[in-house]
Amino acid sequence: MATVLLTGFTPFADFSQNPSQQIAEALSGIRIAGHVVESAVLPVEFGRDVELLFPLIERLQPRLVLSLGLAATASCIWVERIALNLRQTNEGERPIIAGGPPALFARLPTDAVARSICDVGVPAVAHVFAGTYLCNHIMYQVLHQIERKTAPRQAGFLHLPLSVEQALAEGRMQSSALPLSHLEKGVHAAIASILQAPVDGGQFGQ
């Protein structure tokens, strides 16, 4: 059966939870538009993330690779347009892939995906770029891998805000947050919307 590969990250910094992990695990095994969702939870560690993810892509050959991450400053779901060939380290900024394109567009129609999430009552916007940390790293690496292999897969990244449950548990109620059930509904709607877009065409990144 055709598959969707959905990834999240483990908790990091002083966060005890990561909604991207929780949503990836919650949607694992369900069927959306004739595709089964296969989920993976990645470590928040440069290099180890792709060491785990790339073999899964090769094995599953998914129609869609959709990665999730936490953006604690977000007030809604961000559908990321662009991944930069840039990572921030303790030694300063450096390229993710030497000689790689400066930036790569998400291989999905970001505006349409954001609208589909809003249509189910969950706030979302098409956002400019995924930052310079692990979220951007995994987005760029996946897009570069797809381009290099000239495969017509779809791929992109969603940044999730804090969940209400996490904000309560961690004393972060000054932060914007959405119920975990809303985040799950939004990601489900995003996947369904992407699977309706052309695999080898369409306004990717638009």
Side-chain angles (χ1 to χ4, degrees):
M1 174 172 288
T3 61
V4 169
L5 180 53
L6 182 66
T7 76
F9 282 110
T10 58
F12 62 98
D14 59 346
F15 296 105
S16 63
Q17 305 171 37
N18 192 324
S20 70
Q21 174 180 1
Q22 293 169 298
I23 300 305
E25 291 175 342
L27 294 179
S28 181
I30 72 165
R31 295 187 181 188
I32 303 176
H35 294 66
V36 65
V37 176
E38 299 278 355
S39 297
V41 178
L42 307 177
V44 183
E45 182 181 347
F46 286 112
R48 282 287 295 150
D49 52 354
V50 292
E51 286 177 7
L52 292 175
L53 181 57
F54 282 176
L56 285 175
I57 294 174
E58 288 298 314
R59 178 170 63 84
L60 296 172
Q61 294 293 303
R63 155 81 182 269
L64 165 66
V65 181
L66 185 64
S67 299
L68 310 175
L70 170 63
T73 58
S75 59
C76 65
I77 295 177
W78 292 347
V79 185
E80 301 295 356
R81 296 182 188 274
I82 298 169
L84 301 178
N85 188 12
L86 182 68
R87 56 174 280 196
Q88 186 71 43
T89 70
N90 293 332
E91 293 76 37
E93 296 177 346
R94 62 179 59 180
I96 293 171
I97 296 177
L104 292 169
F105 281 102
R107 293 178 64 89
L108 50 86
T110 52
D111 286 329
V113 173
R115 286 194 299 270
S116 73
I117 298 171
C118 292
D119 285 345
V120 297
V122 180
V125 295
H127 193 250
V128 180
F129 73 102
T132 58
Y133 194 47
L134 262 294
C135 295
N136 177 72
H137 182 258
I138 202 69
M139 182 180 178
Y140 186 90
Q141 288 274 19
V142 171
L143 292 170
H144 186 265
Q145 181 82 344
I146 289 173
E147 283 210 345
R148 200 167 58 87
K149 291 180 175 289
T150 63
R153 298 190 194 92
Q154 293 166 295
F157 194 95
L158 303 182
H159 260 128
L160 307 179
L162 292 169
S163 70
V164 170
E165 293 84 349
Q166 179 178 5
L168 283 169
E170 298 180 359
R172 301 176 187 271
M173 287 312 296
Q174 75 281 4
S175 303
S176 298
L178 291 172
L180 198 61
S181 61
H182 283 48
L183 296 178
E184 182 178 339
K185 182 191 295 186
V187 174
H188 189 290
I191 294 171
S193 173
I194 296 164
L195 293 176
Q196 294 170 7
V199 179
D200 56 354
Q203 297 299 308
F204 290 121
Q206 302 299 310

